[in-house]
Each structure stands twice: as C-alpha cells, then as structure tokens.
Amino acid sequence: MSMITTTAWVPRGFAAPFPTKYNFDEEEFERIASLAKLQLDDAQEDLEEAQEAEAEAEAEAKVESPKAEKSSKKKKKASAKPDPDSDIEIDEDLKEYDLEHYDDDEDNLAEPQQMGMFGNVKSLAYYDSNKDDPYITMKETADDEDDEREELQILATDNLLLAAKVEDELAHLEVYVYEDEADNLYVHHDIMLPAIPLCVEWLNISVGKANVDRDAPANFVAIGTFDPDIEIWDLDTVDCMYPNAILGQGGNEQDKKKRKKKKKAKKANDEYHVDAVLALAANRKHRNLLASASADKTVKLWDLNTAKCAKSYSYHTDKVCSLAWHPVEATVLLTGSYDRTVAIADMRAPNELPTRVGVESDVENVRWDPHDPNYFFVSTENGIIHYFDARKASKNPSASKAAWTLQAHDESISSFDLNPVIPGYMATGSTDKTVKLWNITSAGPSLVVSRDFNVGKVFSTTFGPDPEVAFRLAVAGSNGTVSVWDTSTNAGVRKAFVQKVPERAGKDSEVEDKLVGVDDGGESSSSEEEDGDDEDGAAADGNSMDEDED
C-alpha cells in the first residue's frame, strides 16, 4: 500500500541554498529527551493500565474456578520436567560458547536496566566530524564534502514540493525539488512521521529555534496527522530526528500530571486537539498565527512564537475539515465542516456567532477567490462546486444561495485549487481518478480539459505558487506517485488562458505535452501525450452547471 494524501508547494527563494546536516549535540539530546519523555509517559501509563486490568482478570478467574487453577498448576509442573528426547545436539564449533547455560549467567539474573526511546543514545560516543572518529579509517576528503554539498544544493530558480506519503505502515514527508527549466523532479530528503499525515502547511516563520530573528524569512512546515498533535519541522535541516516543536498535548510538559485523566475522557478543550488534525492554514499577514481544524469539531488558533493555543472555537457541530484565511481581511477565517455548513468568522470576536452558508452534502474543501475576495468556493462529497458571495451569508445557513453551482465530478471532489496568478483558472481532482481544468468567466465555469494521470484516486491538485510556474499543476493520489504537469502545453489551456498572462500572449505555437514525475526507482521521468488524448473544450451546460439569478 502506498499513497500520497496531500501536497504543498514552497515558493522560490525561501529554501536555503545549502541545507545543513542535522547536528546531534548535547543541547539537542536534552531537547529530544524532554519531548520524548512526554510520549514515553503515555506509553508507561497505558502499560500500567493493561497490567492492572490483566491482574484483575486473573484474580476474578481464580475466585470463579479454583479447580481450573489447580489443574493449570499441575500442567505447568509437568511441562517443567526435562524431556530427555528433546535434547539438541550442539555443534562442536559452538560448544566453547556454552550456549546451554547462557540463561544461567549471574549477570543476567540482575534487574534489567530501564531503557527508553533514547535511553542509550547518550552513552554513545559521537563526534563533530568523521575526521575525529577513530573507528572511521577511510576519511572523507575535501572533494567528497564538496560533492555532498553540491548534491544538497537548492537553486534560487527551484521550487520545493512537499508530499505527505504513506507506504505500508510507514508515514513520511517527502521533500521534492522541482527544476522547471530542466523538467526535473527528485526527492531531496524526507521526514519520518508518527502517523498517517492528513494535511501539510508551509510556514515562512522560524519555530522552536533559539537565537533566530522572528521577523526573518524561514522555511518550515506544519504537519497534521491522525494523532491530535501538530508537528513543525525545519525544511532546511536534513536528517532531523525530532520536530522543532509540537503543538498540542505532546509538546506541553506542564500537562503531564493531568494527562491520564484527560486522555481517558478525550473531550474537546481550549488547549489542544484530542482527535485527528484535518486541516491547517497559516496566516500570511500575521505570520505567527496558524489555524487548525480537527475531527474533535473545534478550530484552534496557535501562536507560533510560544507554540501554545491562543484561542479555541466550537461553532461547528461535526468534524471541521477545511480552512482558508481571507486574502485581504487577515483576521477572517473560512471553515468547512461535515455538518454541511461553511462559516465565515472573525477570529477577533470568538463569542460572536459567525455567518454561514449551507450545502447539500459534507464539505470537502473551501477556498477564497484570490482575484475577487468577496467570493469563495466550496467543494462537496457529492462532486459539486458552489460559488458563494460572502456578503450575502447570514446567521441562518439554510437561507444561503450560491451565485452558481457546478456538478464537476460524479464522485467526491477530494481536492481543488484556484490559480493564484491566472484569473478564473480552477483545477479539480476527484476520487473518480480524473483531474479537470476549468475556465471561470462572468457567464460561469466551462470545462477545458479532463485527464486521468494514473495516480489512482486523486487526493491533491495544487498550482505552482510563483508566476514562473503558474501553469504547473502538481497531482498526487492513491497510487503513491506525484506528477507535475505543465498545463500550458495543452492546446485547450493555451486557448483559454494564454491571453490572461501578458508574457505568454501570442505564443500559441505547438509544443510538446510536459508531465514530470518520479518513477518507482526514484529517478526523474517525463512522458509525452498528444493534446488529442484530452477532452478539450467541453461546454458548461454539458457538465450540469446551474447558474442562479441574483
């Protein structure tokens, strides 16, 4: 089993040209030990509870069936008698090790040493450089170090693409480098995760790092998983062992004593999530604010400077699955829920009921229109896109009326995105395994291209964040592969949008279809397809688009 649950782009210019190798020193050990101890305490409590339950069950069994207990003891005594027929012949070469009496060694009878997750790490010798390690006889040369440094280099013209991946029982975040000019996509490094990742959000602020200017640009990522904690990692450090910060109960040492009681109750509270984190949204104007949505029906606002929850909101009655900050009004947050409503809330007024709109089925994703912030989009489990005017939302969601609705897919719209550079350019991805590109005009949306990328059920469709890669679309899904498609190489896309991009106006010459991905061997690959393979230029009325009159 292999799948990619979500992806996120990193804009150009934020990644360090030469990412640093992880340095495990004394200070880092103490930091990890402190964070890991919180999780080990949970495991110890679970073990103690299991042992107590087992002891109680044994005690009850003894009272109910004393005869069975005596019979069991007789069987144990019988089984303890040596069986002369079961002797194993020891090889002559192994006799000198006296393996027959290995378990009788006096040292082994002593009380076992307590071991933790990092219990024996500190006893190991480690060196700042391999040159100082006496056990490494083949020392690295200056050329080796230069080669390794060059392999890690990220150019100013490169974009990073983050892909949350699950392979069998392992979960990790793959950090890709996308070289647009070279049509190359490769895995730069990866980050191991504790549970299946559900959402990823890039952060341009440093979190959990000492002696760093808070206003300086940074390159971090926040990851939400089936666990209620949010992990934050530094993307410019390779081979990290532990996150820079944990938002939630796992990162709060002060709550250790309360942990056992609260864990049993698993009730929503104002301090941390108690169920899976389904969505994250970083505030680009107030960089220290991160919003999170959870299956515990709450929305939480985190202060990244303190790694604490600043405020919790409980205005939904079911799981909250999607978030989006307003592109102009930086304190207004759009939230979508399985309660079939979308709320527009001002985070400065937590006690005021937000305005809402209602939809016909569970909400999948919400997005503000980047080119007209008075409107927003909502995708649903029934494959419908709704386009609402936020100014017409009210306290009563049933009174809401969309400007238009579009039956974009026959199955759930698991992902969709609005192009940040090209007005009216929308991409939708569905569990029906297709990706569709739409042209939204004043008359409504019309289908431009429909395509199957062989990624399985589509879980992520995201446009490139910079003008240079505005036509690039990252697609990923249940097959565990990610591809980047240069949509401008499609004739239908060029016809619909090329005039909206000044530097590309008039460039409608035939070009090869460009699709860049990573194959199973981990190497970059590209494939070509004719434009005729796509379903181009379908009309809006052929796709069940209904436009309501105002």
Side-chain angles (χ1 to χ4, degrees):
M1 171 189 165
S2 177
M3 67 176 175
I4 292 177
T5 56
T6 185
T7 61
W9 289 89
V10 176
R12 294 183 179 186
F14 285 92
F18 295 97
T20 58
K21 281 279 190 178
Y22 178 71
N23 181 29
F24 186 78
D25 53 16
E26 187 76 20
E27 182 180 353
E28 178 66 4
F29 169 80
E30 296 297 337
R31 185 185 75 85
I32 290 178
S34 176
L35 289 172
K37 189 175 188 301
L38 298 178
Q39 297 180 358
L40 289 173
D41 287 345
D42 274 347
Q44 181 64 30
E45 289 177 359
D46 289 339
L47 178 61
E48 291 174 358
E49 289 176 3
Q51 290 174 340
E52 290 175 2
E54 185 179 358
E56 291 176 359
E58 289 180 355
E60 292 177 0
K62 288 180 180 178
V63 172
E64 293 176 0
S65 55
K67 293 183 179 180
E69 183 180 352
K70 291 180 181 180
S71 175
S72 175
K73 288 182 178 180
K74 289 181 180 179
K75 288 181 180 179
K76 287 182 179 179
K77 288 181 180 180
S79 62
K81 294 180 180 179
D83 185 358
D85 297 330
S86 64
D87 291 339
I88 301 174
E89 293 185 6
I90 306 299
D91 188 274
E92 292 294 332
D93 295 333
L94 299 177
K95 283 186 177 180
E96 60 177 298
Y97 298 105
D98 194 21
L99 297 179
E100 293 176 288
H101 302 92
Y102 176 79
D103 291 333
D104 299 335
D105 192 285
E106 293 182 0
D107 293 338
N108 288 329
L109 297 177
E111 185 177 349
Q113 184 181 358
Q114 291 286 338
M115 298 295 289
M117 186 183 298
F118 298 98
N120 63 338
V121 172
K122 199 170 183 180
S123 63
L124 301 176
Y126 54 89
Y127 300 88
D128 293 335
S129 172
N130 287 342
K131 296 177 181 178
D132 303 327
D133 193 335
Y135 293 99
I136 298 180
T137 56
M138 296 181 63
K139 304 297 182 182
E140 292 181 353
T141 64
D143 291 340
D144 294 333
E145 293 179 355
D146 290 341
D147 290 343
E148 185 178 7
R149 180 178 168 85
E150 187 176 346
E151 287 178 0
L152 292 175
Q153 184 178 10
I154 299 174
L155 303 178
T157 55
D158 294 340
N159 283 96
L160 296 186
L161 179 61
L162 314 176
K165 192 170 187 177
V166 180
E167 292 181 287
D168 296 326
E169 296 181 357
L170 296 178
H172 54 107
L173 181 76
E174 290 185 334
V175 181
Y176 291 82
V177 172
Y178 175 61
E179 300 174 330
D180 181 51
E181 294 181 1
D183 293 335
N184 191 24
L185 181 70
Y186 65 91
V187 178
H188 186 272
H189 65 280
D190 64 355
I191 297 170
M192 299 303 297
L193 301 176
I196 294 176
L198 301 174
C199 51
V200 171
E201 181 74 347
W202 174 71
L203 305 174
N204 61 351
I205 184 174
S206 179
V207 184
K209 256 190 164 182
N211 304 321
V212 176
D213 184 5
R214 290 182 177 179
D215 295 328
N219 187 27
F220 281 65
V221 63
I223 305 170
T225 69
F226 269 111
D227 288 344
D229 294 333
I230 302 166
E231 293 191 349
I232 297 181
W233 295 79
D234 183 358
L235 292 172
D236 289 338
T237 303
V238 179
D239 298 333
C240 281
M241 292 177 61
Y242 223 72
N244 289 66
I246 298 176
L247 307 182
Q249 193 176 13
N252 192 350
E253 191 171 2
Q254 296 178 353
D255 287 342
K256 272 195 297 184
K257 296 180 180 179
K258 306 176 185 177
R259 182 182 305 268
K260 189 172 183 179
K261 185 180 295 184
K262 288 186 177 180
K263 185 175 61 176
K264 281 184 177 180
K266 202 177 181 181
K267 290 183 180 179
N269 59 79
D270 294 339
E271 298 175 5
Y272 48 81
H273 288 302
V274 295
D275 208 336
V277 178
L278 304 180
L280 296 167
N283 194 309
R284 300 306 177 195
K285 294 190 177 181
H286 303 288
R287 296 164 57 221
N288 65 307
L289 296 182
L290 176 70
S292 62
S294 172
D296 64 12
K297 306 178 186 179
T298 69
V299 174
K300 286 183 167 46
L301 193 62
W302 303 88
D303 184 350
L304 297 179
N305 290 334
T306 61
K308 303 290 183 184
C309 181
K311 198 67 183 176
S312 182
Y313 307 84
S314 302
Y315 45 76
H316 282 292
T317 58
D318 207 334
K319 298 175 182 179
V320 189
C321 58
S322 188
L323 301 167
W325 288 103
H326 195 279
V328 178
E329 300 293 335
T331 61
V332 175
L333 186 67
L334 193 67
T335 62
S337 169
Y338 287 2
D339 63 11
R340 301 186 176 186
T341 69
V342 176
I344 308 167
D346 191 329
M347 299 291 98
R348 297 170 299 182
N351 297 324
E352 183 178 342
L353 289 177
T355 57
R356 298 172 185 265
V357 298
V359 292
E360 84 295 337
S361 61
D362 292 353
V363 173
E364 291 285 351
N365 291 282
V366 295
R367 294 282 189 279
W368 289 102
D369 187 337
H371 305 285
D372 189 349
N374 289 321
Y375 291 85
F376 61 89
F377 296 80
V378 182
S379 70
T380 68
E381 188 180 27
N382 284 359
I384 298 176
I385 295 282
H386 300 258
Y387 190 58
F388 287 100
D389 186 339
R391 297 165 295 185
K392 296 183 178 180
S394 64
K395 304 289 184 181
N396 180 14
S398 61
S400 58
K401 187 178 181 181
W404 52 256
T405 60
L406 168 69
Q407 183 71 53
H409 295 266
D410 294 330
E411 296 184 16
S412 172
I413 300 177
S414 48
S415 67
F416 80 99
D417 198 16
L418 286 306
N419 196 294
V421 178
I422 307 168
Y425 193 8
M426 179 175 70
T428 60
S430 171
T431 53
D432 65 11
K433 302 183 180 181
T434 63
V435 172
K436 295 183 180 181
L437 303 182
W438 304 87
N439 183 15
I440 302 173
T441 64
S442 57
S446 60
L447 180 63
V448 178
V449 179
S450 178
R451 184 167 178 176
D452 186 342
F453 285 89
N454 295 319
V455 297
K457 294 180 179 181
V458 180
F459 293 148
S460 183
T461 51
T462 51
F463 283 110
D466 302 300
E468 298 85 352
V469 290
F471 278 100
R472 311 304 183 266
L473 182 71
V475 181
S478 60
N479 284 355
T481 58
V482 58
S483 298
V484 178
W485 180 28
D486 182 356
T487 61
S488 67
T489 59
N490 180 273
V493 172
R494 290 197 304 275
K495 182 179 179 181
F497 300 109
V498 75
Q499 298 302 324
K500 296 183 179 182
V501 185
E503 61 270 20
R504 297 190 65 94
K507 297 181 181 179
D508 195 21
S509 58
E510 291 296 325
V511 292
E512 293 181 348
D513 186 47
K514 289 166 61 177
L515 178 64
V516 182
V518 176
D519 60 20
D520 294 336
E523 298 178 355
S524 299
S525 63
S526 61
S527 61
E528 300 178 4
E529 293 185 22
E530 297 297 329
D531 290 339
D533 293 340
D534 299 321
E535 181 187 338
D536 296 341
D541 57 358
N543 291 278
S544 303
M545 192 279 288
D546 302 319
E547 187 172 357
D548 300 324
E549 296 294 335
D550 293 335

